[in-house]
Amino acid sequence: MKLLHLDSSVLGPHSVSRQVSAAIVDRLRQATPSLDVVYRDLTQTPLAHLSGSHLAAAQGAPAPAELAPDLAASAAALDEFLTADIVVIGAPMYNFTIPSQLKAWIDRILVVGKTFKYGAAGPEGLAGGKRVIVAISRGGYYGAETPYAAGEHLESYLRWVFGFIGITNVEFIPADGIQVGPDHREKAIAGALQSATTLRAA
């Protein structure tokens, strides 16, 4: 069984989402010692954001020579995702949505003919069967019952993205309110780490 572990926080060792995503992977490794883990740090080895040349190449146009390394990185990222049985993502909320580094990765895995296709009934996901677990960190509180619910474009976006490619049961482990104050931060981290340790094994 293969697991793809992605981190997208720019805070390095100070990141809450990295701490929680690592705890998730540790839990799954303990449950399945033979688990084959591939790790990608989207801030240390970032994928380039899409350009007109990327889109033209995707449509079959000749790619400029200088784009070759990035196209190879794109193909590697897609292959990592396609071959993974489990995907664990560390996703902090930056300005109400995902980091741009994570968006660049998503742009490389939402590929027609690979992870979705268009049919007579509309788009159809091709990546179903994978397990996706997302460690979320948010500075405030954005639950449905809060005044800021309308500003939540991280969990809602990722739920939609993965649902679009056929993964409809995404698991989220949130650490909310980490910027409200030290007590809130400590409580949020402890709760998220506890949730990580009680994840189902498979």
Side-chain angles (χ1 to χ4, degrees), residues 97-171:
T97 189
I98 63 173
S100 63
Q101 293 88 349
L102 181 55
K103 176 60 166 63
W105 177 81
I106 288 172
D107 286 338
R108 306 311 176 92
I109 68 159
L110 262 65
V111 179
V112 66
K114 296 291 187 179
T115 55
F116 72 96
K117 67 179 180 179
Y118 290 108
E124 177 185 344
L126 302 175
K130 298 182 186 299
R131 183 182 184 188
V132 174
I133 309 167
V134 186
I136 290 177
S137 60
R138 294 180 283 216
Y141 296 96
Y142 295 86
E145 73 287 354
T146 69
Y148 301 106
E152 202 292 313
H153 305 295
L154 187 154
E155 179 178 340
S156 55
Y157 172 73
L158 292 176
R159 194 180 297 279
W160 173 264
V161 163
F162 287 111
F164 183 81
I165 60 176
I167 304 168
T168 57
N169 188 28
V170 183
E171 300 165 66

